[in-house]
Amino acid sequence: MISSNSRLMVFSAHADDEALNSGGTIIKYLNSGASVYVLYFFPKKELNEVHAKFREYGGNIKYKVMIDEHFDGLINGLSYHSLVSFFDKEIDSFKPDTAIIPYPNYHQDHELMHKICLTSLRISVENKSKHYVENVFEVASDFVWGRQEIYNPNLFCDITEQIEKKIEIIMLYARNGNVYDNGDNIRSIASYYGIQSGCKYAEAFRILRCKI
């Protein structure tokens, strides 16, 4: 149940992944007065504008871009240990109860972020002070093109009331010409997941861990 006490952390390899894959869910959290933190590998020039729009929907949202603010050079040129340590620090600082991470696909940045998230979100027997994130969900992008297995979501977020706001957010990124940067395309994808979950529009996730 989403409430004003909820704390959602979204890991997004690129700015716009968060909007395309879980923008409606983020808005739903904000509509409930919750706190949201988005951690990106790479930025886009529209990022400040996008988050100004997110803030109009309530709650409290902040973001951090790793490549601009914290590391000099390409993500893939950094040591795995340094990346995990950075993620550990951000998780322990924000203390989310729910994390959304990218489902691994053909893109190396998504693959790397997924791997780091699995390491940083693991249950630590050795470090009792490490923050434990109760709920961890994967979200697919690009319909996981190139993966041998089929993405089978088992958790759906009803975004019927948030779909138009999600499209507003995506349209701010639309200047890059992405095939999904179209209201009809976004509604079609959300409708597809809505049919599977008994609502008009939904976003889909796969549960890695869920505590009830």
Side-chain angles (χ1 to χ4, degrees):
M1 180 68 69
I2 303 172
S3 73
S4 59
N5 294 321
S6 298
R7 300 181 68 80
L8 172 68
M9 190 166 184
V10 179
F11 295 86
S12 181
H14 313 98
D16 79 3
D17 290 341
E18 87 292 358
L20 287 166
N21 304 327
S22 53
T25 301
I26 291 172
I27 294 168
K28 191 164 191 171
Y29 268 79
L30 294 174
N31 288 164
S32 299
S35 296
V36 179
Y37 177 24
V38 186
L39 181 61
Y40 302 95
F41 270 168
F42 300 102
K44 278 188 169 67
K45 62 181 182 297
E46 301 90 353
L47 204 48
N48 286 333
E49 187 180 0
V50 164
H51 276 262
K53 176 60 71 173
F54 269 133
R55 284 192 287 272
E56 293 179 9
Y57 303 141
N60 175 45
I61 187 167
K62 65 176 185 175
Y63 73 91
K64 188 170 288 186
V65 179
M66 293 178 65
I67 198 68
D68 268 4
E69 300 176 17
H70 300 281
F71 295 108
D72 180 19
L74 295 175
I75 288 291
N76 288 307
L78 299 167
S79 74
Y80 186 72
H81 180 267
S82 67
L83 291 168
V84 170
S85 296
F86 184 85
F87 275 46
D88 285 349
K89 178 183 175 183
E90 296 304 307
I91 293 167
D92 286 340
S93 175
F94 183 67
K95 294 181 170 38
D97 53 63
T98 300
I100 294 175
I101 73 173
Y103 185 79
N105 65 5
Y106 66 91
H107 200 298
Q108 68 272 15
D109 297 334
H110 294 201
E111 292 271 2
L112 178 60
M113 180 167 267
H114 179 267
K115 183 179 179 182
I116 297 166
C117 285
L118 290 184
T119 302
S120 289
L121 292 166
R122 72 194 185 282
I123 298 173
S124 177
V125 177
E126 301 84 9
N127 185 2
K128 300 296 184 181
S129 64
K130 179 179 174 62
H131 178 70
Y132 171 66
V133 182
E134 295 181 343
N135 308 300
V136 181
F137 310 138
E138 290 177 327
V139 63
S141 61
D142 297 337
F143 286 98
V144 293
W145 185 92
R147 301 290 295 187
Q148 294 301 312
E149 71 274 17
I150 298 174
Y151 178 72
N152 290 312
N154 53 16
L155 177 70
F156 299 87
C157 180
D158 183 347
I159 61 164
T160 303
E161 295 182 2
Q162 289 78 30
I163 185 66
E164 297 306 321
K165 295 177 180 177
K166 171 177 177 165
I167 292 170
E168 285 182 8
I169 292 288
I170 292 172
M171 289 302 106
L172 296 176
Y173 284 125
R175 302 154 195 156
N176 64 22
N178 190 300
V179 67
Y180 297 146
D181 295 340
N182 175 288
D184 290 339
N185 290 341
I186 299 304
R187 291 186 195 92
S188 295
I189 296 169
S191 176
Y192 171 76
Y193 289 131
I195 290 170
Q196 297 182 52
S197 55
C199 61
K200 188 172 182 179
Y201 296 115
E203 288 174 339
F205 305 90
R206 192 164 75 168
I207 298 172
L208 290 182
R209 182 166 69 223
C210 183
K211 184 177 180 181
I212 60 174

